[in-house]
Amino acid sequence: MDRLGDEVRKRLECVWGMPTSRRALRELGLSDNDLRRLVRNDHLHHERKHYLDAGIDPVLARIAGAQAAYPESVISHFSAAALADLRTWTDRARPHRPPTAAVWLTRHPSAKRNQRRDDVVLRRAGLPLGHLTRQNGFLTTSNARTVVDLARELPAREAVVSIDHALRTGTPIEAIQAVLDRQYRWPGIRRARDAVALADPGSESALESIARLAFIRGGLPAPNLQAQFWDGWKWMLERVDFWWPEHRTVAEADGLAKYEADTAVERRRRLRDSYERDQRLSDLDVEVVRFGWEDVVGDSSRLLHRLRQAFIRGGRRTGPSPTWRSALVLPPSTAA
């Protein structure tokens, strides 16, 4: 940068945050040697024949470069979800799963063809203005459109992870329904409708969303999500993930990440807190079943059996049922 003249630097700053072609930068007064040096010294990203400020996150730079390479495209699907901080999940064991690390773009139907590669996926589809928004300055599909597009591509339990999260973070169900109605003849729309019908904003994690679908498909009654109990003096601080009051059974989704910590002392503290929490729940005279990813992502039959056995034991308990309430708190609905 220090080798560039003041006038060139000022011109460069005008386009610093947006993907800019080599030709445009040459017109600003930069030579090819300047560009190579700026990339080499980590002052510029070079993505798909476009240059961006190296201070931009590399993932954003890759998305922006791909969008610039395909004029009039809109960031969509997994890439739009990433920009909006929407949760996504795909089963790594599933054959032919989509390239989630690719940049996903949607272009108008007049574009030549769909395209699917490891680095970029192009879809052709209608793009009404009501389905578009801006994230970090980039033109993307709205959250409602994004989760419906994903639901048309993915199996239900993968799609529900994103739909649950969109609902939980303020996307109105009416906005999602409006997208479904607009896409009523599009490929995969029946699959998307089925996934939306299964969604529940009470699921706080991908594991909870996947488990909830395993319970539904396994024939278990629908649980209450995020329940809180009265201990006789006050409402307990902890909330449980799943609660079947008629069976006096609690189920807790335990990803191992909650026990990870930088020190052994902190890991032991977290384990001890978990044991004490289970004891407080047991004192309420309820069954407690804990499970992890391995219990629901593959064969969930063992977990379903454990829960049915817990239901039987819970039905034999003769003490008073615990007092409980829903502790689910959702943000106000936002724009689609």
Side-chain angles (χ1 to χ4, degrees):
M1 289 289 291
D2 55 344
R3 299 184 189 179
L4 300 177
D6 290 341
E7 187 62 32
V8 173
R9 272 204 298 258
K10 288 180 181 179
R11 294 174 186 169
L12 183 58
E13 288 171 1
C14 294
V15 296
W16 203 235
M18 300 301 295
T20 308
S21 67
R22 168 183 170 274
R23 178 179 178 180
L25 291 175
R26 288 292 302 271
E27 290 175 354
L28 290 176
L30 278 77
S31 68
D32 287 338
N33 285 337
D34 290 330
L35 293 176
R36 284 191 290 269
R37 179 168 50 81
L38 291 171
V39 172
R40 185 172 61 248
N41 293 337
D42 296 327
H43 292 302
L44 287 178
H45 288 297
H46 187 206
E47 295 286 346
R48 296 181 176 274
K49 301 181 180 180
H50 288 77
Y51 296 84
L52 299 95
D53 176 10
I56 296 175
D57 179 85
V59 174
L60 292 181
R62 189 165 58 87
I63 292 173
Q67 187 179 33
Y70 296 95
E72 299 183 0
S73 64
V74 171
I75 299 166
S76 62
H77 297 77
F78 291 98
S79 299
L83 289 179
D85 289 326
L86 276 179
R87 185 181 296 135
T88 60
W89 177 81
T90 56
D91 185 355
R92 294 182 180 179
R94 178 166 68 87
H96 311 301
R97 70 188 187 100
T100 57
V103 177
W104 288 67
L105 303 169
T106 296
R107 306 176 79 186
H108 287 280
S110 58
K112 290 184 178 179
R113 63 182 181 277
N114 291 329
Q115 182 174 312
R116 174 168 165 159
R117 304 201 312 253
D118 289 340
D119 61 338
V120 65
V121 177
L122 295 176
R123 290 286 183 260
R124 295 182 306 148
L127 292 167
L129 289 178
H131 291 187
L132 306 181
T133 189
R134 286 198 175 272
Q135 301 280 359
N136 296 322
F138 300 115
L139 186 62
T140 76
T141 50
S142 66
N143 287 355
R145 170 65 183 264
T146 296
V147 296
V148 173
D149 282 349
L150 288 172
R152 292 190 298 107
E153 296 265 352
L154 300 174
R157 71 171 183 169
E158 297 179 11
V160 163
V161 169
S162 299
I163 303 169
D164 283 355
H165 192 227
L167 292 172
R168 185 171 185 81
T169 53
T171 300
I173 184 61
E174 295 81 6
I176 295 175
Q177 188 61 53
V179 177
L180 290 172
D181 293 343
R182 182 68 180 255
Q183 297 184 356
Y184 75 101
R185 297 181 67 179
W186 291 22
I189 195 61
R190 180 177 295 180
R191 179 166 58 244
R193 286 189 181 280
D194 291 344
V196 170
L198 293 169
D200 190 319
S203 295
E204 291 188 335
S205 68
L207 178 55
E208 291 178 30
S209 296
I210 297 163
R212 191 167 46 76
L213 259 67
F215 300 157
I216 293 171
R217 290 173 170 174
L220 298 186
N224 294 277
L225 308 185
Q226 313 308 326
Q228 188 178 33
F229 296 100
W230 180 258
D231 67 1
W233 299 95
K234 63 183 184 305
W235 291 104
M236 298 168 63
L237 291 177
E238 47 259 15
R239 297 175 297 163
V240 299
D241 299 328
F242 304 99
W243 165 235
W244 289 269
E246 67 275 25
H247 300 295
R248 298 176 71 150
T249 297
V250 163
E252 290 282 73
D254 275 348
L256 293 178
K258 68 166 58 175
Y259 301 113
E260 294 178 355
D262 293 335
T263 66
V265 171
E266 177 62 17
R267 287 193 293 273
R268 286 195 296 270
R269 186 192 66 78
R270 293 185 182 187
L271 284 169
R272 185 173 64 252
D273 288 348
S274 177
Y275 298 151
E276 292 176 355
R277 184 176 188 273
D278 280 359
Q279 184 61 59
R280 288 193 294 273
L281 291 173
S282 295
D283 290 344
L284 297 172
D285 203 23
V286 300
E287 295 291 321
V288 180
V289 176
R290 288 189 173 275
F291 64 90
W293 282 95
E294 64 279 5
D295 298 305
V296 294
V297 170
D299 182 3
S300 61
S301 59
R302 184 170 178 272
L303 173 60
L304 296 173
H305 176 72
R306 289 172 58 204
L307 286 167
R308 291 190 180 99
Q309 293 300 111
F311 291 171
I312 293 172
R313 294 192 300 271
R316 293 172 181 161
R317 293 179 180 267
T318 57
S321 296
T323 301
W324 67 280
R325 69 181 182 183
S326 173
L328 177 62
V329 178
L330 298 176
S333 292
T334 62

